[in-house]
Amino acid sequence: MIETIFHWHAFVEIYKEGWGSILIDPFISGNPKTDVSLDQILEKKVKAIVLTHWHSDHLWDTPEIAKKTWCLVIATFELAQYLQNIQWLQLVHPMHIGGEYNFGDFSVKFVPAVHGWGIADLSTPYVTFPAGVIVRIDWKNIYHAGDTGLTYDMKLLGEYDNIDIAFLPIWWNFTMGIDDAIIATKFIKPKIVVPIHYSTWQVIDADPVEFARKVMLENISVPKVLNPWQSVILK
Ligand code: NI
Ligand code: MN
């Protein structure tokens, strides 16, 4: 049984009972609505962290979690270099867009996202390409779009990747908003779709219930609006 837990903003935990957790974009310190503390995360069996891009609302607690749990950190090549050479992380697995790697109990594929590529730590020369990720575990395909605008590339996921659950940003200002996320859902054809990355700071508000209503009206997926402690169990 795989459980995907929403910890608010873009932080999604993939939990497998008796095995442990994969954290995507663990942003806890400074995440105003998250349900977990860093200590609670450190008590878990963290197997891996997967990062979509550098921005602080995605990478933020990664160095500390990685140093304390000795989990593997999986990121695009330049971001992996930054983590190794600037943050001094030991267990880093670099990948890149289009690449897929089987880590034994799970595999990860990086897919394109259209977003900023800077590493805003100005002491570093690194830039990278922002990504979405597909995590495959126990025959489930979990897609986290990262931060992105709508792209026609998402059609490939719908045609070839059999996505069980998709986590899509709906925030308008920095990423696609609700209307484009609806088109993305049509492209990706996930069995379940979860809106994320909205209303954390009031740059502009997005109503996840409006997104869910539109998904249901168009009958393109099963929407789940999650509070920051709720999860979806993939059977
Ligand atoms: Ni971002
Ligand atoms: Mn973001």
Side-chain angles (χ1 to χ4, degrees):
M1 183 202 78
I2 299 296
E3 185 177 9
T4 53
I5 309 165
F6 183 41
H7 294 299
W8 196 258
H9 202 64
F11 179 11
V12 174
E13 176 183 357
I14 300 167
Y15 172 72
K16 181 179 172 178
E17 206 176 352
W19 178 76
S21 297
I22 298 165
L23 312 180
I24 303 175
D25 289 354
F27 168 49
I28 302 159
S29 322
N31 182 345
K33 296 185 189 170
T34 191
D35 60 306
V36 285
S37 66
L38 194 54
D39 283 343
Q40 285 171 309
I41 289 294
L42 293 174
E43 280 165 19
K44 291 173 182 256
K45 262 192 170 170
V46 181
K47 298 285 185 167
I49 295 172
V50 183
L51 296 174
T52 62
H53 62 297
W54 184 91
H55 287 158
S56 54
D57 56 320
H58 296 259
L59 168 133
W60 198 246
D61 296 282
T62 297
E64 188 165 356
I65 298 168
K67 281 171 189 166
K68 288 183 174 161
T69 65
W70 290 90
C71 69
L72 183 65
V73 182
I74 302 160
T76 51
F77 181 75
E78 299 81 9
L79 180 51
Q81 283 193 312
Y82 166 79
L83 293 169
Q84 283 177 311
N85 299 337
I86 306 294
Q87 295 286 346
W88 301 107
L89 298 192
Q90 304 278 327
L91 298 168
V92 178
H93 184 98
M95 295 181 64
H96 232 304
I97 306 295
E100 175 154 359
Y101 189 83
N102 189 337
F103 293 90
D105 295 317
F106 64 96
S107 71
V108 172
K109 182 177 186 181
F110 278 88
V111 296
V114 180
H115 191 62
W117 51 71
I119 290 178
D121 181 340
L122 296 178
S123 61
T124 83
Y126 298 109
V127 292
T128 193
F129 200 90
V133 293
I134 302 170
V135 176
R136 306 188 205 278
I137 181 166
D138 282 9
W139 311 106
K140 301 295 176 197
N141 298 313
I142 298 155
Y143 171 59
H144 186 301
D147 282 358
T148 186
L150 176 65
T151 77
Y152 212 64
D153 293 337
M154 290 169 174
K155 263 193 162 222
L156 292 170
L157 306 182
E159 285 173 27
Y160 297 105
D161 282 290
N162 193 23
I163 300 296
D164 290 283
I165 187 165
F167 293 88
L168 305 181
I170 61 161
W171 209 13
W172 303 109
N173 186 70
F174 291 119
T175 65
M176 58 188 171
I178 288 171
D179 293 343
D180 282 353
I182 292 290
I183 299 170
T185 306
K186 286 181 190 166
F187 285 173
I188 299 158
K189 300 188 185 118
K191 293 187 185 81
I192 298 167
V193 63
V194 180
I196 62 169
H197 204 276
Y198 55 87
S199 305
T200 302
W201 302 279
Q202 300 301 318
V203 179
I204 184 169
D205 234 333
D207 180 3
V209 176
E210 182 193 334
F211 172 76
R213 202 180 298 126
K214 286 183 174 171
V215 170
M216 282 191 289
L217 267 176
E218 303 226 20
N219 198 21
I220 46 177
S221 184
V222 175
K224 302 270 186 193
V225 175
L226 302 179
N227 284 312
W229 60 85
Q230 290 179 313
S231 65
V232 175
I233 289 170
L234 303 175
K235 287 174 188 148

